């Protein structure tokens, strides 16, 4: 599958989900047997751990073996996420990488509170949102929807950082074997907006 075909498949799956979410069901038992010998996902998705954000459902009920998913609060590109993306792209040959934020993201809102109000976050939560802080700072005073703009910019930033920080993925992109696309999921409408490069 080409990067273009993979993106079209995600778009079509999201359209099905928006139009009739209940129709997005899978025969998991049969699929589990098919995949016992190995996996061949056609898309890698870095997204948030938010319980309302489930890529396998959002993209039309894709089933076992189709998506290689990395989740953490705020869809942060850390070492673990980047290594997982490299594995999916280089070893599993997934042609598409999607960095997907979502509206009303608590982790992004927390980072925005740190930047805007000087809020101090306890425990590991403060460390977890640190990569979002520069993105939030850059969005400060630039939009009436500070959190929403930061969600969007965080997805774009994550996609750009993959190219900068991973020579493995950058090489695959340059060869046309992989495409990286930022996106934002609307938890109210169910729609995914894929953000095109300007």
């Amino acid at each position: 599958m080409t990067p273009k075909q993979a993106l079209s498949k995600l778009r079509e799956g999201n359209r099905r989900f928006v139009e009739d979410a209940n129709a997005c069901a899978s025969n998991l038992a049969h699929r589990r047997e098919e995949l016992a010998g190995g996996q061949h996902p056609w898309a890698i998705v870095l997204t948030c751990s938010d319980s309302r954000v489930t890529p396998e459902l959002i993209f039309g009920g894709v089933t076992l073996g189709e998506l290689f998913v990395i989740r953490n609060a705020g869809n942060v590109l850390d070492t673990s996420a980047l290594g997982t993306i490299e594995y999916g792209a280089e070893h599993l040959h997934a042609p598409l990488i999607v960095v997907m934020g979502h509206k009303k993201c608590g982790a992004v809102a927390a980072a925005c509170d740190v930047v805007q109000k000087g809020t101090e976050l306890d425990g590991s939560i403060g460390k977890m949102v640190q990569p979002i802080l520069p993105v939030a700072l850059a969005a400060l005073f630039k939009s009436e929807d500070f959190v929403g703009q930061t969600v969007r910019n965080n997805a774009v930033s994550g996609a750009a950082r993959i190219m900068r920080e991973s020579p493995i993925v950058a090489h695959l992109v340059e060869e046309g074997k992989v495409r990286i696309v930022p996106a934002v999921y609307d938890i109210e409408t169910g729609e995914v907006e894929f953000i095109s490069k300007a």
Side-chain angles (χ1 to χ4, degrees):
M1 193 179 296
T2 67
K4 184 177 180 180
Q5 289 169 328
L7 183 58
S8 294
K9 193 167 181 176
L10 285 186
R11 287 184 193 277
E12 173 60 23
N14 182 241
R15 185 194 59 74
R16 283 196 313 273
F17 176 71
V18 170
E19 290 177 0
D20 186 5
N22 291 329
C24 298
S26 302
N27 182 349
L28 297 179
H30 177 68
R31 185 69 177 147
R32 187 178 60 216
E33 291 172 12
E34 289 178 343
L35 291 168
Q39 62 172 322
H40 304 285
W42 47 267
I44 300 163
V45 181
L46 169 60
T47 194
C48 187
S49 295
D50 190 298
S51 61
R52 300 166 293 182
V53 181
T54 307
E56 293 83 356
L57 298 178
I58 290 167
F59 293 119
V62 294
T63 187
L64 298 171
E66 295 191 77
L67 300 183
F68 200 60
V69 179
I70 307 106
R71 295 178 70 177
N72 61 46
N75 44 279
V76 171
L77 185 73
D78 56 16
T79 301
S80 175
L82 189 57
T84 304
I85 289 166
E86 288 179 345
Y87 181 80
E90 185 178 42
H91 296 284
L92 300 179
H93 310 292
L96 181 66
I97 301 167
V98 177
V99 180
M100 186 173 72
H102 69 94
K103 293 188 177 181
K104 299 186 179 179
C105 179
V108 170
C112 288
D113 282 346
V114 171
V115 167
Q116 192 172 40
K117 303 171 186 172
T119 304
E120 292 188 20
L121 303 173
D122 294 330
S124 295
I125 297 173
K127 294 176 189 172
M128 179 189 68
V129 302
Q130 279 180 352
I132 306 172
L133 298 181
V135 178
L137 192 59
L140 191 61
F141 308 124
K142 294 190 177 160
S143 171
E144 289 184 17
D145 183 7
F146 177 38
V147 174
Q149 188 63 51
T150 303
V151 164
R152 183 182 184 87
N153 293 358
N154 189 46
V156 171
S157 173
R161 284 182 55 213
I162 293 169
M163 279 295 289
R164 282 198 314 270
E165 297 176 24
S166 174
I168 291 171
V169 175
H171 179 70
L172 292 168
V173 170
E174 287 160 9
E175 288 187 331
K177 294 178 180 176
V178 170
R179 182 175 175 191
I180 306 170
V181 181
V184 175
Y185 173 60
D186 188 325
I187 61 173
E188 293 178 353
T189 67
E191 292 185 60
V192 175
E193 176 197 2
F194 293 95
I195 303 166
S196 300
K197 291 181 182 176

